Amino acid sequence: MNIISDEGRPLPVLMIPLRRCGSHALRLRLNFNSDFYSPYPLHIVDFMPLLPLYGDLSDDRNYFQLVVDVVGLQAVSMVKWPDVVFDPVEIFEVLSGQTRSVHKVAWELLLRVGERHQARVVMDKSLDNVHYAAELLELLPQMRFLNVVRDPRAQVASINRAIIHDFDTVLNVRIWLAAYQAADRLLTEHPDKVLTIRYEDFLTDQQMALRQVCDFFGIAFMPQMLDIRGSAEAAQIAQRSALWSSNHFPPIIAHADKFKQQLSMREIEIIETACRPYMERYGYTLLTDANLPVDENMALEAEERSRQGRQQAWEDLKQKNYRDYILRQCRADYLANLKLRLLREPLAAPSKPAALAS
């Protein structure tokens, strides 16, 4: 496999389809190879609701504002990219004559930091970007995708306890299903660009799973990948947030079934009903009759539980880990302030076609 992309830049790789799949564990181990680089992700998905407020990106002012704000988003990330500062003026000048896209800006930052580390493969761990895979392939035709699947019961149970998506099984199983359906479309249209591995197989045989990934990326497997205790970054992020506390230790196989203590049988049946085709495809054994579909009343009740759960989770985080709370709040405030500014000072809207102009 040719691992050098257009113009001699690193090969771009996106991990998909959904967070809480062991993605940090894989990223940190692969980073032992100097040919590979994957920093803490930008998670541009949180920026996407703001995108319509930037108006017509063919307008230089609008696009420059977008570039400045994406660079700012990277600057307020919870985990900084070491020894790098981006100049939005330079980024804008380099990209202004190319296809204009928020993804183009985000990937320009990522490719630059990868080049700084002399990497031949650069991976973005912003798994939710699976929903933008078609646009990404138009911008970066050589992109590859690492599809890390996990038992939906375990993954939803983990998401329920994380400050990322919603705080209820009914809502998070919908998020799980949408992400895996998006990955399916990619698999159907570009099977040669996607490698699928199961997180559970990584748990039981790290070396086999990592060798498979390395072969797909065209980089060498390194024995150091099997001892995560040698990773300074793993040690750093393990102390930064409870979500990442296990990342400085070998994987625990028993955690694959931890969901049995975290979910009720009703929740398990809801998940199995919605995700049954995927569970059967990837070899996850059902524990119920899988006959409990979600109706509108269940969804409405879930919204209220999730709202209360979110409020409690942020309050708990504030009390238990003030640094994690402040860092996350800083990023959330940055995005909220961008929205306020864009609503207060609207940018130029797309031009109307001549026939429709008044």
Side-chain angles (χ1 to χ4, degrees):
M1 172 181 168
N2 179 12
I3 67 167
I4 302 297
S5 68
D6 293 337
E7 302 174 356
R9 306 196 79 178
L11 175 76
V13 174
L14 176 66
M15 188 186 288
I16 59 173
L18 189 63
R19 284 178 269 184
R20 308 307 294 171
C21 67
S23 53
H24 272 307
L26 289 163
R27 177 182 75 85
L28 292 166
R29 284 162 174 78
L30 292 166
N31 270 341
F32 275 104
N33 188 319
S34 60
D35 284 337
F36 177 92
Y37 190 65
S38 180
Y40 182 81
L42 187 58
H43 289 312
I44 200 70
V45 66
D46 298 327
F47 190 92
M48 297 307 288
L50 303 179
L51 193 58
L53 299 177
Y54 286 87
D56 184 2
L57 295 184
S58 68
D59 183 294
D60 284 350
R61 179 178 182 272
N62 295 3
Y63 196 50
F64 181 65
Q65 186 66 71
L66 178 72
V67 171
V68 169
D69 293 345
V70 173
V71 169
L73 181 65
Q74 192 281 321
V76 297
S77 175
M78 279 189 65
V79 182
K80 308 304 179 192
W81 294 357
D83 306 319
V84 62
V85 176
F86 296 108
D87 180 355
V89 175
E90 182 197 358
I91 300 293
F92 171 76
E93 290 175 349
V94 167
L95 295 181
S96 62
Q98 302 178 35
T99 301
R100 296 189 171 189
S101 162
V102 65
H103 298 294
K104 190 73 172 178
V105 179
W107 268 97
E108 180 64 24
L109 304 186
L110 189 56
L111 289 169
R112 285 184 175 219
V113 75
E115 288 167 339
R116 184 181 181 89
H117 285 79
Q118 299 182 316
R120 294 189 295 158
V121 178
V122 172
M123 186 178 77
D124 183 8
K125 200 193 74 68
S126 300
L127 295 97
D128 311 73
N129 282 357
V130 66
H131 295 289
Y132 308 102
E135 182 180 349
L136 287 168
L137 280 170
E138 289 183 5
L139 297 169
L140 300 161
Q142 288 189 294
M143 180 172 281
R144 298 291 184 269
F145 301 86
L146 177 59
N147 185 37
V148 184
V149 304
R150 185 181 183 185
D151 186 325
R153 298 163 299 190
Q155 195 161 6
V156 169
S158 182
I159 293 172
N160 286 350
R161 290 160 173 75
I163 298 184
I164 47 174
H165 289 298
D166 289 307
F167 290 80
D168 190 89
T169 291
V170 168
L171 303 180
N172 283 325
V173 74
R174 289 182 168 183
I175 292 171
W176 190 99
L177 197 56
Y180 277 66
Q181 288 170 341
D184 258 4
R185 290 191 290 272
L186 183 63
L187 282 162
T188 299
E189 295 169 9
H190 304 281
D192 59 318
K193 292 182 176 292
V194 185
L195 172 67
T196 299
I197 65 170
R198 295 195 331 158
Y199 173 65
E200 292 78 12
D201 294 335
F202 166 74
L203 286 180
T204 56
D205 192 338
Q206 286 189 73
Q207 181 167 329
M208 179 197 69
L210 289 167
R211 282 187 180 278
Q212 190 177 7
V213 174
C214 289
D215 287 346
F216 182 67
F217 292 164
I219 62 174
F221 167 79
M222 304 184 70
Q224 297 96 306
M225 293 176 182
L226 301 178
D227 187 4
I228 196 60
R229 291 167 297 185
S231 168
E233 185 185 3
Q236 178 196 41
I237 72 166
Q239 296 175 2
R240 189 70 60 88
S241 172
L243 291 183
W244 312 321
S245 59
S246 65
N247 278 295
H248 198 219
F249 302 98
I252 300 173
I253 297 175
H255 282 180
D257 290 332
K258 198 175 179 180
F259 71 88
K260 294 177 181 178
Q261 288 76 52
Q262 296 171 328
L263 300 173
S264 67
M265 287 306 296
R266 182 175 183 272
E267 288 177 296
I268 290 174
E269 185 161 18
I270 288 171
I271 296 169
E272 292 183 352
T273 303
C275 306
R276 182 170 188 163
Y278 291 95
M279 294 183 65
E280 291 175 344
R281 182 198 304 182
Y282 293 119
Y284 301 119
T285 303
L286 298 176
L287 299 178
T288 72
D289 293 335
N291 191 28
L292 188 55
V294 173
D295 60 33
E296 194 56 36
N297 286 335
M298 291 168 65
L300 290 173
E301 293 171 0
E303 290 282 0
E304 177 58 22
R305 287 194 300 269
S306 182
R307 185 191 65 77
Q308 295 175 2
R310 178 176 291 103
Q311 183 177 356
Q312 186 62 53
W314 278 97
E315 185 60 33
D316 289 347
L317 184 63
K318 185 177 181 180
Q319 299 301 321
K320 294 177 181 178
N321 189 335
Y322 69 87
R323 291 191 296 181
D324 190 5
Y325 171 82
I326 290 172
L327 288 168
R328 291 182 187 277
Q329 193 64 60
C330 178
R331 185 177 185 273
D333 288 346
Y334 177 78
L335 290 166
N337 288 332
L338 286 185
K339 183 176 181 179
L340 288 174
R341 189 201 71 216
L342 291 164
L343 289 171
R344 184 176 64 246
E345 303 173 14
L347 298 174
S351 302
K352 293 182 180 180
L356 300 178
S358 57

